[in-house]
Each structure stands twice: as structure tokens, then as C-alpha cells.
Amino acid sequence: EAQVTQNPRYLITVTGKKLTVTCSQNMNHEYMSWYRQDPGLGLRQIYYSMNVEVTDKGDVPEGYKVSRKEKRNFPLILESPSPNQTSLYFCASSSGLEFYNEQFFGPGTRLTVL
Amino acid sequence: GESVGLHLPTLSVQEGDNSIINCAYSNSASDYFIWYKQESGKGPQFIIDIRSNMDKRQGQRVTVLLNKTVKHLSLQIAATQPGDSAVYFCAEKLTFGGGTRVLVKP
């Protein structure tokens, strides 16, 4: 089944404790991205990647890091999480480099930073 | 910068009626729009898209209308069903609006 998977689905952590949220897709997609979703703000893009070893900042990159060592994986790293990073996070992938390609979203990771 | 916004945070509709969800955008150069549906506990799912060289596009029970003059687009859902209850987002390429929650009353 074609899908985007994220782990963990739920995470409660404390300020300053480094964490990684994994994202994997099995569709051989080149384009991957991370979003955060907050009430009333819709989805805001954190980082995106056009291909392996190519990553770029989205609209809200502060406090986050990503890496793209393999085509299928695009982990999101919070080196020192803070309470304002409490949010619902989505990973997405699409087949092409053009924006006209449909994005497939993962199920989401709900993060709480205390 | 670019912005995309929906007009109403919540829309309550009777089962069987048609739903209309509205969205406005600010950038007159925008050329591609997408509507997503997000059910509770799930990620957004693509519904339908439209390019700026079109005014209307139809899918199964859904129609998107684009009015470039007033920078407005809408999603119409025909004969709304309980399974249509969700949050709907319009997006201009990768920029999302705030979402409209559609509640279907039996």
C-alpha cells in the first residue's frame, strides 16, 4: 500500500530534550516536506526537500532541522524543543518537483513539550 | 507575502443539502489551487485542484470554482453526506488557509 508513515504518533517530552520524528514514504517520491498544524493557522511548512541531500527552509524553520540521506526518509529533528513547538506535525511527499503534483500526507505526530 | 484564507471556521449543513466552502487569496499571480479534506485523526487528503487557466473543475460530487477577478475560490459539495464531515483546506501551491470545519447534521 502506498503510504507515508510517521513515528511516533504521539510524544510528550520536556523542554530541551532532543527528539526526532521519523517520516518514510514507499512511493519513490522525490519531494518531501514537513508541516506543523496549529488551531486557526492551517498548515505551515517547516522544511522541504527536492531530492536526496537537498533541503530548504519553509515558512517556519526556526528550532527545527531535517536531513535527507535517503530518498524514502525525511526525519524532523528538534535539537532543543520548547513549549511553543507543541503542535501537530505532518510529513508529506509528492512525485515531482512541480507544485502540480499531489501531496500525500502522513497520519500526523502530536507533540507536547512541557 | 502570500496568504490564503477561508471565510468561515465552521459550516453546519443538513445531510443531503449542498455545501459551499469559500476561500480568498491575495496574490493575483497565483496559478494553482488545491482543496484538501482532513478527517479527524488523519492527515489532509487531496480532493481536487484547479489551475488559473480554468474557471471551474468538477469531480465526483465536488466542484471547484475560481474567480480570478476577485481572487476567490469555492468548493461545492453536492448532496452532503455524513462522511463529508471534516475540515477542508484550500491551498495555493504549498500555502494553506486556516481550514473550515464542515458539520453534517442528520
Side-chain angles (χ1 to χ4, degrees):
Chain A
E1 178 189 357
Q3 60 182 349
V4 178
T5 57
Q6 296 177 226
N7 281 292
R9 294 290 313 279
Y10 302 90
L11 179 60
I12 300 174
T13 189
V14 295
T15 299
K17 186 176 181 182
K18 180 179 178 180
L19 65 92
T20 299
V21 183
T22 64
C23 173
S24 182
Q25 49 92 7
N26 62 1
M27 295 168 278
N28 201 36
H29 284 170
E30 290 182 328
Y31 183 91
M32 298 185 74
S33 60
W34 275 102
Y35 294 85
R36 61 178 288 173
Q37 183 175 27
D38 302 290
L41 296 177
L43 285 88
R44 294 179 292 169
Q45 192 180 51
I46 303 170
Y47 267 95
Y48 64 95
S49 169
M50 296 287 207
N51 212 327
V52 175
E53 301 292 359
V54 180
T55 63
D56 280 297
K57 295 178 180 179
D59 296 322
V60 288
E62 293 77 21
Y64 304 95
K65 286 175 56 178
V66 292
S67 70
R68 189 89 182 275
K69 294 185 173 61
E70 306 167 282
K71 198 172 187 178
R72 69 176 66 183
N73 297 323
F74 190 46
L76 178 70
I77 303 155
L78 284 72
E79 294 271 4
S80 184
S82 61
N84 64 12
Q85 292 178 298
T86 292
S87 187
L88 180 58
Y89 291 87
F90 289 100
C91 180
S93 73
S94 63
S95 60
L97 301 181
E98 292 294 326
F99 295 130
Y100 303 107
N101 298 102
E102 176 184 346
Q103 285 199 90
F104 293 84
F105 284 82
T109 295
R110 186 166 293 281
L111 172 66
T112 301
V113 183
L114 301 174
Chain B
E2 301 170 358
S3 70
V4 182
L6 282 89
H7 291 186
L8 283 174
T10 303
L11 176 67
S12 187
V13 61
Q14 199 71 38
E15 182 179 354
D17 288 351
N18 296 337
S19 303
I20 299 176
I21 307 166
N22 296 303
C23 185
Y25 61 95
S26 61
N27 186 355
S28 56
S30 299
D31 61 355
Y32 180 61
F33 302 91
I34 314 132
W35 281 98
Y36 289 90
K37 173 185 180 183
Q38 185 179 21
E39 295 175 279
S40 180
K42 297 183 179 179
Q45 185 176 20
F46 174 95
I47 303 174
I48 192 168
D49 59 359
I50 188 167
R51 301 187 186 192
S52 59
N53 61 353
M54 304 171 71
D55 297 323
K56 179 179 179 180
R57 190 162 189 220
Q58 287 184 290
Q60 189 175 13
R61 281 200 308 116
V62 295
T63 300
V64 56
L65 299 177
L66 176 62
N67 185 331
K68 295 179 284 296
T69 303
V70 295
K71 291 183 281 189
H72 178 274
L73 69 159
S74 65
L75 177 71
Q76 300 179 4
I77 306 172
T80 311
Q81 303 169 357
D84 295 325
S85 291
V87 178
Y88 291 81
F89 294 95
C90 65
E92 190 276 325
K93 293 183 182 177
L94 301 177
T95 300
F96 284 75
T100 291
R101 180 175 298 280
V102 173
L103 300 172
V104 182
K105 297 180 290 184

